[in-house]
Amino acid sequence: MGWTMTLKDDFGVSAWTRHTGNFLSLFLLISSLFSIPAHSDIVLSKAHHFSWKAGSWGQCVGEVCGSGGVQTRAIWCVHMEGWTTHNSHCQHVEKPESKRQCFKVCDWHQDLFEWEISDWGACVLVPFFSNELKMRTTECITAQHGIQRRNIHCVRTSNRSTVSIRICEFFSQKPPVEQACLIPCPQDCVVSDFTTWSSCSKTCGAGLQHRTRHVLAAPMYGGANCPNLTETRTCTNSVDCPVAEGEYQYSLKVGAWSKCRLPHNKDAVLNGRTTVDFGVGSNENNSITTQTLDSHHQLRHHQYHHNHQAQAHIRYPMSWELEVGYQTRHVRCARSDGKNVMLSLCTKDTSPLTFQACVMPKDCQTSDWSSWSFCSKTCRSTDLSPGYRVRTRIMTQIPHGEGKQCPALEEKEACNIIGDLLPKCPRYTWRTTDWGECRIRPLLGQQDRRRANISLLCGGGVQTRKTYCVQVPDDSAAHYKKEVSRPVNAWLCDGDDPPLAAQTCSVPCQHQCLLSQWSPWSACLHENCKEPQGKKGFRLRKREVLWESSNTLGTCPHLMEFIPCEDPACYLWQTQQKGKCIPTNSSCGPGTAVQNVTCVDAEGGDVPDGHCVEEPPPTEEACDVACSTDCVVGSWSSWSSCSHSCATKTAEGKQSRSRTVLAIPGKDGKACPPAPALQEWRVCNDHPCSVFYWEASEWGPCTEDASSKTNETSSRNETSACPVGVQSRNVSCMRMNAAPVLSKRCLESSRPETTRPCLFPCKKDCVVTPFSEWTACPASCLPDNSTAAMQSRYRIIIQTPANGGQECPDTLYEGRECDSVRVCPVFRWRMNKWHSCTLVPDSVRRGLSGSGEACGNGLETRGISCVWEDGEPANMTECLKWAGPFPSQIRECRVACKDDCTLTAWSKFSDCTGCGGSRTRRRSLVGRSKKKERCLNAEMYPLEENQTCPCNEFLSQPFGNWSACILPNPPVFESLHGWMRHREVKECGQGLRYRAVACVDQRGHLVNPVLCTDSGYIVEVCHIACPLDCKLSDWSSWSACSSSCGSGLKIRSKWLREKAFNGGRPCPKLDLKNQVYEAVPCNRECGQYEWRTEPWSICTINTVDDLPACGEGVQSRKIRCVMRGTASREDGSPDDSMCDPEEMPPRAQVCYLACPNDCVVSAWGAWSNCCPQCDAGSARNRSRQILRLPAVENAACPDLVQSEPCLLNSTYFTYQYRVSDWSTCQLSENAICGQGSRSRLLDCVQSDGKTVALQKCQQFGLINKLQLLESCVVDCPVSCILSDWSPWADCSHTCGTQGHSVRTRRILQEAQEEGRPCPSQLSQTKPCSIRPCYMWLLNDWSLCAVEGAKCGEGVRRRNLSCVVHWGNWHESPPPQPVDRELCGDVLRQQLQQEMEQPCFVPCPGDCHLTQWSTWSSCQLTCLEGRSFESTGRQARSRAVIIQAMENQGSCPHQVFETQPCKGGKCHSYQWKTGGWTNNERPVWCQRSDGVNVTGGCFPQKRPTTLRHCHPPCTKPFSHCTPSGVCGCEKGYTEVMTSHGFLDYCTRTPGVDNSKKADVKTNSGRLKPRPSQSNDLFSEWTLRPVGPDGRVKLWVYAVAIVGFIVVLFIATLSFLICKPSKTSKASPPPQKPLTLAYDGDVDM
């Protein structure tokens, strides 16, 4: 099924035809459309109160498109007043239909028609409903309501023809035709105040004088028109005019010159002259003479004309010719009353000039417009600003005479305003190269390389990189990847901060480890306790790594040491807790004791008994219970310390223990053992002194792993990661302080690994950016003899090669000559000979003046053409562009008349007498002219002329200040795009400084500085002092440890020797003594020496006779002061003073040797521990056991338990950990900064303040939670990094003394710590050479010149003069005139200016207009103080001057004009009033800027200027008061009527008429104003004084009531505030003195 559409333009009917045979004519559709009533509201009356109202028909709806659609509308019943009511109030019969059939348009029909909508029209005021103009009675506050309309049509989309609106309404609702808008309030014309009155027009008799005002703001938006700008009044002089003087004045009045025209004979025959017509629109009188370039010349100059092929169709002139015509003017004699009279009354002997020669007008001719340039906006940016494009045309004929001036030669229009179809604008971002190598700056004390090897430095350093700007690649432009990675100018990225150019880095130092103490030697163990083999084992000890440096160079020292041993045992039987000895048969004698037997490992932990291989010891052990007569021996003491730490061939370690006899045996008792049996010795530390350990060398370099080659090959395509290599090292078993030994001497299971995987160094090729774009070549042409222009490009190394990668290219910078720069063509003007002097034709001269002599002033012309350098003709446009100023084509001339003065030609100038002198030339009168009086006038006919001699001597004057010292520039490439090359700042040495030179000639005129110096500067060598860094001394020696016992710090320091100067590296943070220090922890052993005791001697008892040696006795022992940790048998014991005397144990003690049959107890055991958390009354105990019972059962044994109170620092002590201060951050030996560690030491402190061994705190179960070691960082000194200097910018001024050139650099990295600081000078300024500033100076308009007459139409002119100045117009020396050639083409400049203006000189009695007033200030149309427009308006006006009242009928109308302006202000207007004077006051309107104006203020709000009383004050001694009511004068009192009006004025009683007593009354009479008091009372409604001057009774009543109220309030206050009585008055409290102290010393 298809559809076709036919269109009938006659009726605007569209029809659709269906091919299936069902033809549907659109006529049915249109007829159904137009059958609808045009109105939507149907109002039917019912009893004239209620009616039906119908809404508009809705859209046609239906299931299918076609004629089966339905339209509906709403129907409702309304009252005549407009409110809706129930439908029953309206007649049902008259109810309109609410549904009807319609044609539903198909969806595809919508594509055939559309709404065509015009722009909104201007906003116009809504007219009054009554169509009457009414005066504004209310003030417009902000704006007025207006309406704006637009045109809406329904058109066909195919041919844009208009059809019925109802068709488009089927598809969419008709857009609104009108909309409301706002128009600013009407603005009346605003004029200034009047000027002062002019002087009287006549010096005698009656005359006129006037004053004027000017327009400040023109009326807008329906505001009131401007009032008269002129006021005129008559004036009378005291001097009467002489009777003999004529009544009228006569003035020769000339009209304007007519248009220049040719004589009649020249209209037909052009006398052989050739004129040029330049195309369409030429004058018919001009013949067409055009030339084109011949093919030969086109071939010769093909290179130049290749660029002009686009304009080949334009035909340009080849020469210019001018014609001379004539013009005339009317001359009449005007009387002062405005009437014309006989010409003879104005002219006597000479006839006025009525004709003159002139140049025939030549209109400016231009070429066709060129093609539009490319749009400046070529991409879609975020600012949504449009671009612009330009087209130009060139001038092909300069205007002459009154020809039309040239139109605009350039046209600009917006383009790509929306820009949605444009590609996105390129974005630019910073990119960086790879980081450079890590460089370490030496410390301030290491800068002298003779004192420190810089290559050994390690630790923290600084590495730098370069930044450059690139274009961000666009996802939609993959083929631009190479272009966008090119470096571009850095200013394209100026909006973003560049990435960091420096960062901290680290050079690995020697490995550092902090290790713990060695653990005790273990027992002899198998190498592998899980699988014990052989009879050889090892004893070992370990230590731990407390802190390890983070670098990978080196390893920590060995952590395990071994000693070979025999008969190793990983598990041993251990017996514990021997039980009480139980006799076997009786209460004493042999018995057994039970003991616990457990299997333990090397650490002492319990393990299953199966781990112990040997037979377990018995669980019962034989023992003896002493009988009452047996000898009793005490238990064994603990083993003494071993005498040797290891066994050698000559010595071995031994230790002993002993026991003592506690009771001697009785008769038949068991004897005591012999003395040797009381002491035992055993071998200890029997291991050899040879200690072994594994020693590992440092890891070797990472080498390629042969085993992983195959894996690497297979995975190389999958990943670009560097291959995995292997590192190896040597591991050998070392004897302590000896050479390597066999590996079996060391524990094989703890052998360090010898290989490990590593990342094989990647092969890094050099990566460089693509070359940047070539720098632009000059867009303009160059002279033939100039040096060739160069262009360059560069690229940047992003990644340097490493590990055998490809090397970088040698060329990073390229330069070449520009190929496309063309040489400027050379054209020149060719001038023809001057034609003969052309006068006004004879026929014209005879007809106007009757003179037949062909003489007088005329004009002569010459033709000019354009030629190539070789003389070949060229288009005139080429010379306009390339040949410089075009020569003059016309000049004035004169054909001598008979009566003219004749002179000889000028002689040659005389010789110059020297520089600055003058030369002279002369001429003389000839013939009869010598006798003519007027010829002898030297002013009109000078006979001698002087001229200043040219001088080529110039004076050089230094000007301005010296520039800063500028160092030499780096090489060319390094200075290009200067943000890329980073370097550390240390600038000093020899440079140059510049000072500009002003070159002046002998007249003081500024000239080109090249005439005085080659460069325009004075250049002087200068020096920049090098920076001096802060210098510190060497480290002092270490101080003693800050703590005499325990942990502390020892310190060394450096002190300041020289401060930093001139930007040197600053000193580190110094203390008050100008020192820096380093602190390390130290420890002084508190128990470095200890008391060592030997066993007690035998208890010595003094016996009498043969009594048994028992009872109390004395025993002694030896005590020595020895160094802790040494063997007891070593000689060289120190003096006893080295040990603490308070801790010295007793050398002797009382002993007790029990007698037979006595009770024997053991020695006291250890005291139990005191509980620090327990109560203050707690105690500690110790006990002993009965070793032998007494023979007598009832005999008492000594106490077995002993107690004593727990007293802190006496019987018990508490312990706690204490740490020392942190050390300073410790680095590796050769490190300067970076990662390090700081440490502190741990002490165990007794509660009495003594430092004890750490084991004490460990014995009490204290856990150290304090951190003793932590990492720290020493900040690295980072010196300031700057970019290179940018290239020198162009001079800020092209001429004068104000020009300077600037170059800048930016900070890429701020200085940190002790780095070299950034200099303050980030920009440098250099003066530019002082070139003279030449400019055209447009002089003021001359007075209106009426040639040959007194008044009438004239011309005022102004001239162009060429001046030279020093760049600052307002400073001395002022601009000075010079030759015009220095400013350029004067004729071309005159074409751009208006050099002549017609003017009018009024004749006496003429009514005329004033000159234009100056433009008013720019004023905006504003709403509520905000601008309604983007541009403002300013106005100027001309007022009418009346010189004679009888000439008012011929007066012109006053005029004003407006123009748009920028930078305007919003003004408001407000009425201002002055003070009242005699019931009058001034009222004026003032603008918000303080200017008094007329207009602008709302008239209905004008304050009154007169003050009136109603009814008038006609009573004697009365006057109108400021409040508008009648009052009496001073000395009189008002007597009012019952209606409140003044009845009469009566004299105030008590006022005397005498001069002494009535001064005020007299003054009041002299100046009839009421007194101040009467004025006050006169305003009161209740008057206290009656008409007779007496005080009224109610005043007395009010006074009495007031007195009673005051008395009541005073009594009540006394009763409330009365203080209570006290028995004794206390003095008032004194105010503290300090509160009143004001700082005075006297207090």
Side-chain angles (χ1 to χ4, degrees), residues 963-1003:
S963 70
C965 194
I966 298 172
L967 297 175
N969 287 327
V972 176
F973 170 65
E974 294 181 353
S975 64
L976 281 175
H977 307 276
W979 310 129
M980 301 180 304
R981 178 176 165 266
H982 305 156
R983 55 191 171 84
E984 185 177 306
V985 181
K986 188 177 180 182
E987 300 172 336
C988 59
Q990 180 174 310
L992 299 175
R993 62 175 187 167
Y994 301 86
R995 190 178 184 188
V997 171
C999 188
V1000 295
D1001 58 12
Q1002 290 293 324
R1003 295 175 295 173

Side-chain angles (χ1 to χ4, degrees), residues 163 204 1190 1271 1308 1630:
V163 296
C204 63
S1271 296
L1308 302 176
Q1630 295 294 327

Side-chain angles (χ1 to χ4, degrees), residues 73-121:
R73 64 177 176 178
I75 307 292
W76 63 95
C77 184
V78 297
H79 190 266
M80 62 181 301
E81 295 179 358
W83 44 271
T84 305
T85 183
H86 194 266
N87 290 347
S88 60
H89 290 90
C90 293
Q91 294 183 5
H92 185 70
V93 180
E94 298 175 348
K95 182 178 181 180
E97 62 176 349
S98 61
K99 184 185 296 185
R100 69 179 180 184
Q101 296 290 325
C102 62
F103 182 88
K104 181 185 178 186
V105 181
C106 299
D107 292 338
W108 60 271
H109 296 163
Q110 184 174 357
D111 299 334
L112 304 177
F113 302 95
E114 66 179 5
W115 293 108
E116 186 177 68
I117 305 173
S118 67
D119 295 333
W120 288 105

Side-chain angles (χ1 to χ4, degrees), residues 1566-1586:
L1566 294 175
K1567 187 176 182 182
R1569 287 191 60 193
S1571 67
Q1572 187 174 1
S1573 60
N1574 282 346
D1575 282 348
L1576 177 63
F1577 291 150
S1578 66
E1579 299 296 324
W1580 291 10
T1581 304
L1582 295 176
R1583 302 177 184 270
V1585 181

Side-chain angles (χ1 to χ4, degrees), residues 363-410:
D363 294 340
C364 176
Q365 302 280 345
T366 59
S367 66
D368 294 334
W369 286 108
S370 65
S371 301
W372 285 105
S373 65
F374 293 110
C375 189
S376 63
K377 180 181 179 180
T378 58
C379 58
R380 187 171 56 215
S381 58
T382 56
D383 58 359
L384 302 180
S385 60
Y388 65 90
R389 59 178 185 169
V390 180
R391 64 176 181 175
T392 58
R393 54 186 173 183
I394 58 177
M395 182 174 59
T396 59
Q397 169 67 58
I398 62 173
H400 285 284
E402 296 180 358
K404 293 181 180 179
Q405 295 298 312
C406 291
L409 300 180
E410 182 178 277

Side-chain angles (χ1 to χ4, degrees), residues 238-249:
S238 59
V239 180
D240 295 332
C241 293
V243 179
E245 186 176 333
E247 183 180 357
Y248 299 108
Q249 297 180 15

